[in-house]
């Protein structure tokens, strides 16, 4: 069972990534993949890749509200008894995965990057200690939960144009007497370039040293006709707006090419860009973790490489 992640209007890309994997696991385990849709029932039309959608529709589920989602999801798992519940390892999933684990008495693997099913046992590959250790975690028994890092699986296998069967589960009575109320949804700041829509990104990290040096990479971006993105320290320093931040607490990007200059490749950064088709990294430290995901890499000093590249591209 995949928990659909949505904004009230749009099903997230992460949901399709999970659904594709759920189909694969379901056929290995001899079952079917279902999607739990908490919130507007009409969003099921965006879930053509699911055979069955289990819908709980109630006004308090339109946006993520921890107490309401916990109650509704408990009602769904009680009714459907899934072998495994998959959620996105993002704001809602991290919160709800732990709550469901306690209330449903099921083991939880968080920060998951892969899942396999062997002899009826689900094995999750999970990052622990902030990604410094990668562990294989078995989820044996009759139930388990995994929260999966965005970009871990391709979305295409979960997309589809069919019309799913929708099974309605009655909203639990508790939804009408919640202790928690949603006050306000804060939309992200807009008005800047949308880095998630760019085919190519020139991305810059702390290796750039100061805001004065940003001009160097901006010139390379101009020569390529692409926007600048950045790691968190560059945004925290106020050198680029938050809308340019790639990573766990920034945006998830999937460009055709991602050029990383002076970025170490911390797990929180990789979470936002590991889905890029081509990753080219420039970092003077040959041991920098960015080289574990880069398709091409160089240890040349960025202050030598960037102007040379710009010059070459501008000819
Ligand atoms: C809850 C949480 C959320 C987070 N969210 C995010 C997020 O969304 N995005 C994000 O990016 N980070 C995030 N972080 C921070 C993350 O852990 C790292 O601290 C951050 O990604 C490091 O940024 P960096 O690679 O630019 O800097 P550093 O790790 O300092 O790396 C700088 C790199 O530049 C290289 N370098 C230095 N000089 C040169 C040169 N002249 N030429 C070439 N290379 C050079 C160095 O070798 C080094 O590897 C988060 C952390 C937490 C705890």
């Amino acid at each position: 069972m995949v928990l659909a992640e949505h904004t009230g209007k749009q099903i997230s890309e992460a949901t399709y990534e999970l659904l594709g994997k759920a189909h694969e696991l379901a056929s290995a385990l001899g079952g079917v993949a279902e999607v739990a849709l908490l919130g507007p029932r009409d969003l099921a039309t965006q879930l053509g890749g699911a055979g069955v959608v289990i819908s709980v529709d109630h006004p308090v589920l339109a946006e993520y509200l921890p107490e309401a989602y916990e109650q509704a999801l408990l009602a769904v798992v009680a009714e459907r008894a899934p072998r495994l519940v998959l959620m996105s390892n993002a704001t809602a999933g991290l919160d709800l995965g732990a709550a469901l684990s306690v209330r449903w008495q099921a083991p939880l693997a968080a920060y998951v990057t892969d899942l396999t099913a062997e002899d009826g046992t689900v094995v999750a590959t999970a990052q622990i200690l902030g990604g410094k250790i990668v562990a294989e975690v078995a989820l044996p028994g009759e139930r388990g939960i995994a929260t999966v890092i965005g970009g871990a699986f391709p979305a295409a296998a979960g997309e589809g144009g069919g019309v799913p069967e929708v099974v309605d589960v009655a909203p639990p009575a508790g939804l009408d007497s919640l202790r928690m109320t949603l006050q306000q949804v804060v939309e992200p700041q807009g008005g800047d370039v949308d880095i998630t829509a760019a085919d190519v990104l020139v991305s810059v990290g702390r290796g750039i040293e100061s805001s004065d040096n940003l001009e160097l990479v901006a010139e390379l971006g101009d020569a390529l006709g692409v926007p600048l993105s950045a790691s968190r320290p560059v945004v925290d320093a106020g050198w680029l707006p938050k809308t340019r931040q790639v990573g766990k607490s920034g945006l998830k990007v999937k460009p055709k090419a991602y050029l990383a200059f002076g970025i170490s490749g911390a797990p929180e950064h990789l979470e936002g860009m590991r889905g890029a088709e081509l990753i080219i990294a420039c970092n003077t430290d040959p041991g920098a973790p960015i080289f574990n995901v880069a398709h091409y890499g160089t240890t040349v000093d960025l202050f030598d490489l960037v102007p040379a590249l710009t010059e070459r591209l501008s000819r």
Side-chain angles (χ1 to χ4, degrees):
M1 174 172 284
V2 170
L3 174 69
E5 187 188 56
H6 62 82
T7 55
K9 295 190 183 74
Q10 184 73 41
I11 297 287
S12 77
E13 169 113 342
T15 305
Y16 302 118
E17 294 172 6
L18 295 178
L19 185 54
K21 191 66 184 181
H23 282 306
E24 184 191 314
L25 293 170
S27 60
L29 292 165
V32 293
E34 295 184 341
V35 174
L37 173 59
L38 314 181
R41 190 182 192 276
D42 58 10
L43 290 177
T45 55
Q46 296 175 33
L47 291 164
V52 181
V53 173
I54 315 299
S55 158
V56 184
D57 195 352
H58 187 284
V60 295
L61 298 169
E63 305 275 358
Y64 180 63
L65 183 62
E67 191 188 4
Y69 268 60
E70 182 187 320
Q71 288 198 26
L73 189 55
L74 268 173
V76 170
V77 296
E79 178 120 354
R80 308 297 291 186
R83 167 66 184 83
L84 180 69
V85 177
L86 302 181
M87 303 181 198
S88 172
N89 198 78
T91 314
L94 278 168
D95 193 38
L96 200 54
L100 185 68
S101 174
V102 174
R103 297 286 305 275
W104 192 39
Q105 289 290 289
L108 163 70
Y111 294 89
V112 169
T113 55
D114 199 9
L115 284 158
T116 55
E118 291 157 17
D119 306 325
T121 295
V122 175
V123 177
T125 305
Q127 295 180 351
I128 53 176
L129 296 177
K132 291 189 174 63
I133 294 178
V134 175
E136 289 204 334
V137 189
L139 293 168
E142 292 174 357
R143 51 177 76 161
I145 306 163
T147 60
V148 181
I149 289 180
F153 311 124
E159 292 166 347
V163 180
E165 177 194 346
V166 181
V167 176
D168 293 296
V169 168
L175 295 189
D176 295 317
S177 53
L178 296 173
R179 291 163 303 162
M180 222 178 245
T181 49
L182 182 75
Q183 294 294 314
Q184 187 193 2
V185 176
V186 181
E187 297 288 345
Q189 23 172 151
D192 191 26
V193 222
D194 179 7
I195 58 166
T196 64
D199 272 348
V200 179
L201 283 171
V202 168
S203 207
V204 59
R206 187 150 38 200
I208 196 69
E209 292 174 6
S210 81
S211 62
D212 294 342
N213 297 333
L214 265 187
E215 190 54 30
L216 267 186
V217 272
E219 283 168 5
L220 176 60
D222 289 346
L224 286 164
V226 303
L228 285 191
S229 57
S231 65
R232 179 161 153 179
V234 171
V235 171
D236 283 353
W239 301 342
L240 280 173
K242 178 82 180 162
T243 42
R244 305 296 182 100
Q245 184 182 322
V246 172
K248 185 190 199 71
S249 47
L251 293 164
K252 197 171 90 179
V253 296
K254 274 193 180 175
K256 291 201 169 74
Y258 187 82
L259 281 63
F261 293 97
I263 294 178
S264 60
E268 294 85 1
H269 187 79
L270 301 186
E271 194 174 322
M273 46 62 78
R274 64 184 326 143
E277 282 174 39
L278 178 71
I279 300 168
I280 304 174
C282 164
N283 192 309
T284 43
D285 174 8
I290 189 85
F291 291 126
N292 297 334
V293 298
H295 301 95
Y296 295 95
T298 172
T299 53
V300 170
D301 191 310
L302 79 87
F303 293 105
D304 295 329
L305 181 64
V306 172
L309 263 179
T310 308
E311 206 263 327
R312 185 72 174 261
L313 287 161
S314 310
R315 266 185 216 164

